Amino acid sequence: MNVFHWHLVDDQSFPYQSKRFPELSKKGSFSPLHVYSQADIKRVIHYASMRGIRVIPEFDTPGHTASWGKAFPELITPCWVNGRPEQAVYGKHGKFELLNPILNTTYKFVRDLYEEIAEVFPDKYIHLGMDEVYHACWESNLNISEFMAEKGFGRDYKTLEQYYVRRVLDIVSSLNSKYVIWQDPIEQGVQAQMDAIVEVWKDSTLGLPGQFQDWQDYMVNITKKGYKTILSACWYLNKIFYGPDWKRFYQCEPLDFNGRHSGTAQKSDWWRGMPRASAVAERLWSTRETMNVDEAAFRLDQQRCRLL
């Protein structure tokens, strides 16, 4: 509970004010008012450090990078449709959203940016994202098809994704930084370096697009491959459940890869984060035997009163 995982940038906006590439936020942020300056970031890191909180920044690639292209369009893969570049296909890909993995200049830029990030943020870990890479855009690009033929990749775009992942992880390692990635590339069969920490976020109960498995199945498959993991799936806040849904969070046992829990829908006006975060905190600080929801309810009710 003492880690601030700071998801700084995404397709929609690039609010981080880079010292080396100031154009990223000048052209990629929502507005000049919606920017994290270097002074802002220093204040956040100092505020956190005084309270024993680590700050781990996330700069997601190769997907979720449309905002990068506002300043540096040459970094982004143009998606083609019927011989025309920068065309979107609803449900498959946008006009441009993925870094171009076939250009050495892409990796030079990524290296320079991550070198700066390693200097600005004192934590030894950087979150590299790497989730939701939509191969359909890469498939539409003729230059990428030629590159894959030259490399002997055939039409296997997972191999191209692995090519990108490994090169970027090598870059970050060379900067003496460690890294976290989302589960998606490992789930798709990409073989990353074994010191990568894999964050599991998917779960069948989330109600998000896609056919997800239970988080326990993902944990089994990923840990069997030898990766260390961070479990986030059963504590994901995207899905709103009615009623005292903190019980679902409380009953999530990270070591129980075969457990399943369900609940009933009841109406409640409790805030999204609390007391659910308290349930997660107690779960992570407790033994496996401390699983009695009725006993926990008394403690959580007291904590809710303190929060109010």
Side-chain angles (χ1 to χ4, degrees):
M1 298 296 285
N2 72 324
V3 176
F4 174 32
H5 171 176
W6 196 353
H7 186 84
L8 269 163
V9 300
D10 212 304
D11 279 325
Q12 295 79 10
S13 177
F14 197 106
Y16 169 77
Q17 184 188 66
S18 170
K19 293 184 288 186
R20 298 189 184 185
F21 305 106
E23 293 299 306
L24 283 168
S25 59
K26 284 183 180 178
K27 296 183 178 180
S29 63
F30 284 126
S31 81
L33 297 177
H34 296 85
V35 172
Y36 294 115
S37 69
Q38 287 293 316
D40 293 332
I41 292 165
K42 285 182 179 179
R43 281 196 292 271
V44 170
I45 293 171
H46 176 72
Y47 186 94
S49 66
M50 295 299 290
R51 290 156 180 82
I53 297 171
R54 298 167 57 191
V55 179
I56 296 182
E58 179 184 351
F59 286 79
D60 197 354
T61 71
H64 296 277
T65 54
S67 63
W68 302 40
K70 299 294 180 64
F72 298 96
E74 65 275 11
L75 293 174
I76 310 298
T77 307
C79 308
W80 287 65
V81 177
N82 297 326
R84 298 173 59 200
E86 296 188 8
Q87 301 296 310
V89 177
Y90 181 76
K92 289 188 176 181
H93 59 73
K95 295 181 179 180
F96 43 85
E97 57 185 311
L98 302 175
L99 292 187
N100 194 327
I102 70 174
L103 302 177
N104 286 328
T105 50
T106 299
Y107 299 99
K108 172 65 167 60
F109 187 95
V110 168
R111 178 186 176 82
D112 290 345
L113 181 61
Y114 279 132
E115 186 174 35
E116 174 186 323
I117 294 165
E119 294 169 354
V120 170
F121 292 89
D123 200 276
K124 61 184 176 181
Y125 280 93
I126 301 173
H127 202 303
L128 305 179
M130 298 186 172
D131 64 323
E132 298 179 321
V133 178
Y134 303 117
H135 294 164
C137 178
W138 283 345
E139 291 174 10
S140 73
N141 188 286
L142 295 180
N143 292 327
I144 288 182
S145 297
E146 292 176 3
F147 175 85
M148 292 182 65
E150 292 173 2
K151 290 287 187 179
F153 292 169
R155 299 288 293 175
D156 185 359
Y157 288 87
K158 292 180 183 177
T159 303
L160 180 62
E161 185 176 354
Q162 178 167 297
Y163 172 83
Y164 177 86
V165 168
R166 290 196 166 218
R167 285 196 65 171
V168 172
L169 294 191
D170 284 343
I171 287 171
V172 177
S173 291
S174 71
L175 301 174
N176 295 317
S177 292
K178 297 185 178 182
Y179 34 75
V180 184
I181 62 175
W182 293 111
Q183 71 183 80
D184 302 49
I186 306 302
E187 174 195 335
Q188 294 188 80
V190 170
Q191 293 181 346
Q193 285 85 328
M194 294 311 301
D195 60 345
I197 294 181
V198 181
E199 185 165 3
V200 174
W201 68 274
K202 295 183 179 181
D203 185 48
S204 61
T205 66
L206 287 178
L208 299 173
Q211 300 298 316
F212 292 166
Q213 305 173 50
D214 289 351
W215 66 262
Q216 293 94 335
D217 298 326
Y218 291 118
M219 290 291 287
V220 167
N221 294 335
I222 293 172
T223 54
K224 274 185 176 178
K225 295 178 180 178
Y227 296 104
K228 293 182 178 180
T229 63
I230 297 172
L231 174 62
S232 300
C234 53
W235 300 311
Y236 213 65
L237 298 182
N238 270 33
K239 180 71 172 178
I240 299 175
F241 293 88
Y242 289 101
D245 60 354
W246 63 265
K247 294 181 180 180
R248 296 177 60 256
F249 290 71
Y250 189 83
Q251 290 178 314
C252 177
E253 170 50 60
L255 299 179
D256 184 7
F257 290 173
N258 297 313
R260 283 178 170 80
H261 306 291
S262 62
T264 57
Q266 299 175 4
K267 189 175 181 179
S268 175
D269 60 355
W270 285 21
W271 179 57
R272 289 183 70 179
M274 295 293 182
R276 298 190 298 185
S278 300
V280 176
E282 181 165 300
R283 162 59 35 240
L284 295 178
W285 281 103
S286 302
T287 65
R288 299 184 68 176
E289 290 72 31
T290 308
M291 294 288 287
N292 189 308
V293 171
D294 293 331
E295 291 180 359
F298 177 75
R299 294 190 293 275
L300 268 290
D301 190 54
Q302 286 186 316
Q303 177 66 0
R304 179 175 180 271
C305 289
R306 295 187 190 102
L307 293 170
L308 290 174

PDB file of all heavy atoms in Angstrom, residues 25 44 50 68 104 137 145 173 245 274 282 284 304:
ATOM      1  N   SER A  25       5.000  17.387 -24.074  1.00  0.00           N
ATOM      2  CA  SER A  25       3.892  17.942 -23.309  1.00  0.00           C
ATOM      3  C   SER A  25       3.337  19.217 -23.943  1.00  0.00           C
ATOM      4  O   SER A  25       2.143  19.505 -23.815  1.00  0.00           O
ATOM      5  CB  SER A  25       4.310  18.224 -21.860  1.00  0.00           C
ATOM      6  OG  SER A  25       5.387  19.138 -21.810  1.00  0.00           O
ATOM      7  N   VAL A  44       5.877  16.036  -5.651  1.00  0.00           N
ATOM      8  CA  VAL A  44       5.189  14.763  -5.407  1.00  0.00           C
ATOM      9  C   VAL A  44       6.155  13.740  -4.809  1.00  0.00           C
ATOM     10  O   VAL A  44       5.834  13.054  -3.828  1.00  0.00           O
ATOM     11  CB  VAL A  44       4.578  14.215  -6.717  1.00  0.00           C
ATOM     12  CG1 VAL A  44       4.087  12.776  -6.531  1.00  0.00           C
ATOM     13  CG2 VAL A  44       3.429  15.095  -7.183  1.00  0.00           C
ATOM     14  N   MET A  50       8.589  11.650   2.310  1.00  0.00           N
ATOM     15  CA  MET A  50       8.443  12.020   3.714  1.00  0.00           C
ATOM     16  C   MET A  50       7.434  11.134   4.430  1.00  0.00           C
ATOM     17  O   MET A  50       7.371  11.106   5.658  1.00  0.00           O
ATOM     18  CB  MET A  50       8.013  13.488   3.827  1.00  0.00           C
ATOM     19  CG  MET A  50       9.054  14.482   3.323  1.00  0.00           C
ATOM     20  SD  MET A  50      10.618  14.382   4.241  1.00  0.00           S
ATOM     21  CE  MET A  50      10.100  15.066   5.815  1.00  0.00           C
ATOM     22  N   TRP A  68       2.148  10.761 -28.046  1.00  0.00           N
ATOM     23  CA  TRP A  68       3.558  10.983 -28.367  1.00  0.00           C
ATOM     24  C   TRP A  68       3.695  11.524 -29.795  1.00  0.00           C
ATOM     25  O   TRP A  68       4.597  12.312 -30.090  1.00  0.00           O
ATOM     26  CB  TRP A  68       4.356   9.694 -28.254  1.00  0.00           C
ATOM     27  CG  TRP A  68       4.346   8.986 -26.934  1.00  0.00           C
ATOM     28  CD1 TRP A  68       3.286   8.821 -26.091  1.00  0.00           C
ATOM     29  CD2 TRP A  68       5.441   8.322 -26.313  1.00  0.00           C
ATOM     30  NE1 TRP A  68       3.651   8.098 -24.988  1.00  0.00           N
ATOM     31  CE2 TRP A  68       4.959   7.778 -25.094  1.00  0.00           C
ATOM     32  CE3 TRP A  68       6.781   8.125 -26.665  1.00  0.00           C
ATOM     33  CZ2 TRP A  68       5.782   7.045 -24.227  1.00  0.00           C
ATOM     34  CZ3 TRP A  68       7.601   7.400 -25.815  1.00  0.00           C
ATOM     35  CH2 TRP A  68       7.106   6.870 -24.602  1.00  0.00           C
ATOM     36  N   ASN A 104      15.216   1.985 -35.901  1.00  0.00           N
ATOM     37  CA  ASN A 104      16.207   2.162 -34.839  1.00  0.00           C
ATOM     38  C   ASN A 104      16.040   3.508 -34.133  1.00  0.00           C
ATOM     39  O   ASN A 104      16.373   3.650 -32.952  1.00  0.00           O
ATOM     40  CB  ASN A 104      17.621   2.042 -35.409  1.00  0.00           C
ATOM     41  CG  ASN A 104      17.983   0.611 -35.746  1.00  0.00           C
ATOM     42  OD1 ASN A 104      17.531  -0.324 -35.086  1.00  0.00           O
ATOM     43  ND2 ASN A 104      18.787   0.432 -36.783  1.00  0.00           N
ATOM     44  N   CYS A 137      -3.058  -2.931 -36.477  1.00  0.00           N
ATOM     45  CA  CYS A 137      -2.427  -1.752 -37.082  1.00  0.00           C
ATOM     46  C   CYS A 137      -1.100  -2.142 -37.726  1.00  0.00           C
ATOM     47  O   CYS A 137      -0.819  -1.739 -38.863  1.00  0.00           O
ATOM     48  CB  CYS A 137      -2.225  -0.668 -36.028  1.00  0.00           C
ATOM     49  SG  CYS A 137      -1.400   0.812 -36.660  1.00  0.00           S
ATOM     50  N   SER A 145       5.355  -5.180 -42.856  1.00  0.00           N
ATOM     51  CA  SER A 145       5.291  -6.495 -43.496  1.00  0.00           C
ATOM     52  C   SER A 145       6.618  -6.834 -44.165  1.00  0.00           C
ATOM     53  O   SER A 145       7.109  -7.970 -44.078  1.00  0.00           O
ATOM     54  CB  SER A 145       4.159  -6.520 -44.534  1.00  0.00           C
ATOM     55  OG  SER A 145       2.908  -6.325 -43.914  1.00  0.00           O
ATOM     56  N   SER A 173      17.519  -2.112 -18.815  1.00  0.00           N
ATOM     57  CA  SER A 173      18.547  -2.798 -18.013  1.00  0.00           C
ATOM     58  C   SER A 173      19.885  -2.088 -18.112  1.00  0.00           C
ATOM     59  O   SER A 173      20.620  -1.975 -17.124  1.00  0.00           O
ATOM     60  CB  SER A 173      18.697  -4.254 -18.471  1.00  0.00           C
ATOM     61  OG  SER A 173      17.564  -5.008 -18.143  1.00  0.00           O
ATOM     62  N   ASP A 245     -19.093  -4.048  -1.265  1.00  0.00           N
ATOM     63  CA  ASP A 245     -18.206  -4.846  -2.102  1.00  0.00           C
ATOM     64  C   ASP A 245     -16.793  -4.938  -1.558  1.00  0.00           C
ATOM     65  O   ASP A 245     -15.947  -5.611  -2.145  1.00  0.00           O
ATOM     66  CB  ASP A 245     -18.188  -4.328  -3.548  1.00  0.00           C
ATOM     67  CG  ASP A 245     -17.714  -2.893  -3.661  1.00  0.00           C
ATOM     68  OD1 ASP A 245     -17.510  -2.253  -2.615  1.00  0.00           O
ATOM     69  OD2 ASP A 245     -17.539  -2.431  -4.796  1.00  0.00           O
ATOM     70  N   MET A 274     -12.740   3.691  -0.494  1.00  0.00           N
ATOM     71  CA  MET A 274     -12.809   3.291   0.906  1.00  0.00           C
ATOM     72  C   MET A 274     -14.219   2.815   1.221  1.00  0.00           C
ATOM     73  O   MET A 274     -15.175   3.373   0.707  1.00  0.00           O
ATOM     74  CB  MET A 274     -12.462   4.485   1.817  1.00  0.00           C
ATOM     75  CG  MET A 274     -11.050   4.977   1.672  1.00  0.00           C
ATOM     76  SD  MET A 274      -9.841   3.774   2.262  1.00  0.00           S
ATOM     77  CE  MET A 274      -8.327   4.703   1.997  1.00  0.00           C
ATOM     78  N   GLU A 282      -5.667  -4.840   5.012  1.00  0.00           N
ATOM     79  CA  GLU A 282      -5.678  -5.869   6.043  1.00  0.00           C
ATOM     80  C   GLU A 282      -5.391  -7.251   5.456  1.00  0.00           C
ATOM     81  O   GLU A 282      -4.699  -8.066   6.063  1.00  0.00           O
ATOM     82  CB  GLU A 282      -7.014  -5.890   6.790  1.00  0.00           C
ATOM     83  CG  GLU A 282      -7.033  -6.939   7.900  1.00  0.00           C
ATOM     84  CD  GLU A 282      -8.172  -6.766   8.884  1.00  0.00           C
ATOM     85  OE1 GLU A 282      -8.236  -5.707   9.530  1.00  0.00           O
ATOM     86  OE2 GLU A 282      -8.984  -7.697   8.996  1.00  0.00           O
ATOM     87  N   LEU A 284      -3.459  -7.935   2.928  1.00  0.00           N
ATOM     88  CA  LEU A 284      -2.034  -8.073   2.621  1.00  0.00           C
ATOM     89  C   LEU A 284      -1.172  -8.132   3.873  1.00  0.00           C
ATOM     90  O   LEU A 284      -0.041  -8.609   3.817  1.00  0.00           O
ATOM     91  CB  LEU A 284      -1.581  -6.912   1.723  1.00  0.00           C
ATOM     92  CG  LEU A 284      -2.215  -6.888   0.327  1.00  0.00           C
ATOM     93  CD1 LEU A 284      -1.731  -5.679  -0.451  1.00  0.00           C
ATOM     94  CD2 LEU A 284      -1.902  -8.161  -0.436  1.00  0.00           C
ATOM     95  N   ARG A 304     -14.215   3.149   8.856  1.00  0.00           N
ATOM     96  CA  ARG A 304     -15.052   4.019   8.040  1.00  0.00           C
ATOM     97  C   ARG A 304     -15.459   5.262   8.828  1.00  0.00           C
ATOM     98  O   ARG A 304     -15.476   6.374   8.290  1.00  0.00           O
ATOM     99  CB  ARG A 304     -16.298   3.257   7.565  1.00  0.00           C
ATOM    100  CG  ARG A 304     -17.257   4.096   6.731  1.00  0.00           C
ATOM    101  CD  ARG A 304     -18.401   3.250   6.201  1.00  0.00           C
ATOM    102  NE  ARG A 304     -19.324   4.045   5.412  1.00  0.00           N
ATOM    103  CZ  ARG A 304     -20.380   4.703   5.905  1.00  0.00           C
ATOM    104  NH1 ARG A 304     -20.632   4.643   7.200  1.00  0.00           N
ATOM    105  NH2 ARG A 304     -21.154   5.394   5.112  1.00  0.00           N
TER     106      ARG A 304
END
